[in-house]
């Protein structure tokens, strides 16, 4: 690890983050520098009246959150960790806000403490530091099982909770040792700490907080693109890409996407979730003894009504289109909010009003309703579009219900295509017209998402291609009768030159959305995943090589014998 840190510091002295990711191939660089790293905490309703402490430098992944708060301090007992932060941002660091970098523990109390990664290094630091302090009532130890791991996590949480003001909040994330990837043979990262769901529950027992809320990031806490909660758990179709890994060569001894879908159906997904994000609020315990700076004795309380039950990030787009989508539940009333991740995305949010009016005017089928946006501005100045949350089922899921013996319900899909696209021309090009974005409710069909609507005549073949392709990719594990996407699309006449043309158009559209910021870093750094079939093929090739080698040895012996007889 130290060798990588030294190497990263040297590279940050010569190039910026984008340049390093474009040039380097080792997945460690993507883990350190990916923008997705901050997703585990970016969604929190932070405010300019809050003081926040981050435990661990985390390669500077969370420094940009300083723009949202009064002060942001980072504590990391390793000088190299803090040096990476300084080199990554340089003179820009001070421009982000009031940021403090601390190698020694700060003498200050905070409204919120965030531990983005529970690591063995931090556990070791706490263990070494425990001799200097004592907690009233003792810590206790588990009498059986993996007690040291559980007690270590409990100690760590109690140790860093001391930096909170009364009523403060603590957020941390940790990987699950019962995640399916580890049953498939995935290797742990150096210093990675793993706990099971039951061990996490044990560690939280007796912790001095009044409220708890647990989230489940997918594909994991390091690259959280979707974050679910106990109030909004994932279902089939939500696990695409869950097996993707960025740490060396991966193994796929089981189909994680399909198995997670089954586990979700059986309501046991939380036991096997890849990672956990735990939010604790309402602290009422002990504090550090030497407080030098105290702004207010009471913490700024997180408003429970502002906490989402689901979060999704589209961070890999061009900056103008980067969004965070949330589902909120306020006293039983649910709504969806799409928020720009920066000022550059505000115009994209504002465009929802024009797109709504355009679709209302041009939609041929009056049974297809358009969900109306409500535009607003958040406390950090970011624009958002808010929509009602509809009770119903996605059209995509209803069609998937009728899959039989791996084959799609072709007739019903064709009817659904006519419902969405009509028979004739239209005045706008709606590229978000996919089955997943259509909710079937008691009062009809509702289009719930329409980001990509253009005021031009539609390319009907291409829109049909997108509708069918994305439905197939969401349910391909159930559609096993088809060899691949092309085989499925051929059922609807999309093949040959038309298929190639649609694929080129999709590639062009993705380039438009992602801009020059994409460079497809996830695809570049994703580890090659070996399937069972790959392992079988390698075993067969090894066996063939072994047999060939034995035959060659026999031939050599025969030649030696022949030579001795001459």
């Amino acid at each position: 690890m130290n060798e990588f840190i030294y190497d990263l510091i040297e590279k940050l002295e010569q190039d910026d983050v984008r340049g390093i990711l474009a040039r380097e191939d080792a997945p460690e660089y993507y883990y350190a520098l990916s923008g997705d790293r901050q997703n585990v905490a970016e969604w929190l309703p932070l405010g300019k009246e809050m003081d926040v402490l981050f435990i661990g430098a985390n390669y500077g992944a969370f420094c940009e959150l300083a723009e949202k708060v009064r002060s942001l301090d980072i504590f990391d007992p390793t000088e190299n960790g803090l040096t990476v932060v300084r080199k990554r941002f340089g003179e820009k660091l001070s421009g982000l806000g009031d940021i403090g970098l601390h190698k020694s523990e700060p003498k200050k109390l905070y409204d919120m403490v965030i531990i983005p990664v529970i690591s063995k290094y931090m556990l070791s630091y706490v263990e070494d530091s425990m001799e200097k302090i004592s907690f009233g009532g003792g810590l206790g130890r588990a009498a059986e099982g993996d007690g040291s791991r559980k007690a270590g996590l409990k100690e760590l949480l109690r140790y860093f909770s001391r930096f909170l003001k009364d009523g403060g909040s603590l957020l941390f994330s940790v990987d699950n040792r019962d995640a399916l990837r580890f049953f498939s043979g995935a290797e742990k990262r150096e210093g990675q700490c793993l706990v099971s769901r039951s061990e996490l529950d044990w560690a939280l027992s007796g912790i001095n907080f009044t409220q708890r809320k647990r989230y489940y990031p997918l594909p994991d806490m390091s690259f959280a693109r979707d974050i679910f909660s106990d109030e909004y758990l994932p279902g089939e179709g939500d696990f695409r890409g869950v097996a993707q890994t960025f740490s060396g060569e991966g193994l796929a001894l089981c189909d994680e996407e399909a198995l997670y879908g089954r586990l979700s159906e059986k309501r046991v997904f939380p036991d096997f979730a890849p990672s956990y994000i735990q939010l604790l609020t309402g602290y009422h315990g002990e504090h550090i003894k030497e407080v030098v700076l105290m702004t207010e004795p009471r913490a700024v309380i997180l408003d429970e009504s502002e906490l989402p039950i689901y979060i999704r990030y589209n961070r890999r787009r061009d900056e103008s289109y980067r969004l965070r989508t949330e589902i909120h539940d306020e006293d039983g009333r649910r709504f969806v909010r799409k928020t720009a991740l920066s000022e550059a995305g505000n115009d994209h949010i504002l465009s929802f009003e024009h797109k709504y009016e355009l679709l209302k005017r041009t939609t041929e089928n009056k049974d297809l309703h358009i969900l109306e946006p409500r535009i607003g501005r958040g406390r950090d100045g970011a624009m958002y579009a808010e929509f009602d949350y509809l009770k119903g089922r996605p059209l995509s899921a209803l069609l998937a219900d009728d899959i039989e013996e791996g084959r799609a319900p072709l007739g019903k899909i064709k009817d659904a295509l006519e419902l969405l696209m009509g028979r004739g021309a239209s005045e706008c090009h709606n590229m978000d017209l996919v089955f997943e974005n259509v909710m079937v409710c008691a009062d009809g069909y509702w289009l719930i998402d329409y980001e990509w609507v253009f005021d031009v005549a539609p390319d009907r073949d291409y829109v049909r291609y997108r509708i069918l392709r994305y439905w197939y990719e969401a349910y391909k594990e159930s559609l096993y009768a088809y060899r691949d996407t092309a085989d499925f699309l051929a059922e609807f006449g999309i093949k040959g030159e038309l298929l190639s043309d649609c694929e080129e158009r999709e590639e062009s559209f993705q380039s438009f959305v992602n801009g020059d910021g994409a460079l497809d870093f996830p695809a570049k750094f994703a580890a090659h995943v070996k399937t069972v079939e790959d392992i079988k093929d390698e075993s067969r090739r090894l066996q063939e090589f072994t047999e060939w080698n034995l035959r060659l040895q026999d031939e050599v012996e025969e030649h030696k014998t022949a030579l001795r007889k001459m």
Side-chain angles (χ1 to χ4, degrees), residues 335-388:
F335 61 89
V336 179
R337 178 177 291 172
K338 292 178 177 288
T339 304
L341 287 180
S342 70
E343 186 177 343
N346 284 346
D347 286 343
H348 185 55
I349 292 296
L350 291 171
S351 72
F352 274 103
E353 289 182 319
H354 170 69
K355 293 167 183 174
Y356 168 73
E357 295 297 336
L358 181 63
L359 286 170
K360 276 196 69 177
R361 189 180 73 247
T362 61
T363 298
E364 178 181 318
N365 191 334
K366 299 308 176 184
D367 292 330
L368 180 60
H369 310 294
I370 314 300
L371 203 58
E372 185 174 3
R374 298 181 293 273
I375 305 300
R377 187 183 295 273
R379 64 168 70 187
D380 58 357
M383 301 298 298
Y384 65 78
E386 196 171 280
F387 304 84
D388 290 334

Side-chain angles (χ1 to χ4, degrees), residues 146-247:
D146 197 353
S148 60
R149 182 193 289 111
K150 292 183 285 188
L153 178 57
K154 182 187 286 284
E155 290 170 355
L156 182 143
L157 297 177
R158 294 187 68 177
Y159 188 88
F160 287 114
S161 295
R162 299 176 307 122
F163 291 88
L164 285 170
K165 302 174 186 177
D166 290 334
S169 304
L170 172 71
L171 180 134
F172 68 91
S173 60
V174 64
D175 287 313
N176 181 7
R177 70 184 182 95
D178 289 335
L180 292 185
R181 64 182 54 180
F182 296 117
F183 290 104
S184 286
E187 296 182 1
K188 295 192 297 183
R189 291 189 303 273
E190 184 180 353
Q192 185 178 16
C193 178
L194 303 175
V195 299
S196 68
R197 183 188 183 189
S198 61
E199 290 169 339
L200 177 58
D201 289 340
W202 185 92
L204 294 177
S205 61
I207 297 292
N208 295 317
F209 291 88
T210 58
Q211 299 290 333
R212 302 176 185 178
K213 194 173 183 68
R214 186 168 296 173
Y215 292 89
Y216 307 95
L218 293 179
D220 59 23
M221 67 184 195
S222 299
F223 306 98
R225 293 192 297 272
D226 294 88
I227 303 176
F228 295 85
S229 69
D230 288 318
E231 295 85 0
Y232 194 89
L233 290 169
E236 185 180 8
D238 291 324
F239 297 102
R240 279 172 282 180
V242 72
Q244 191 176 50
T245 179
F246 299 96
S247 55

Side-chain angles (χ1 to χ4, degrees), residues 373-414:
R374 298 181 293 273
I375 305 300
R377 187 183 295 273
R379 64 168 70 187
D380 58 357
M383 301 298 298
Y384 65 78
E386 196 171 280
F387 304 84
D388 290 334
Y389 180 87
L390 301 180
K391 291 183 178 180
R393 291 192 69 199
L395 180 55
S396 56
L398 290 173
L399 292 171
D401 288 344
D402 290 320
I403 296 173
E404 292 185 2
E405 297 181 349
R407 303 204 68 84
L410 302 183
K412 292 185 177 181
I413 290 177
K414 290 175 181 177

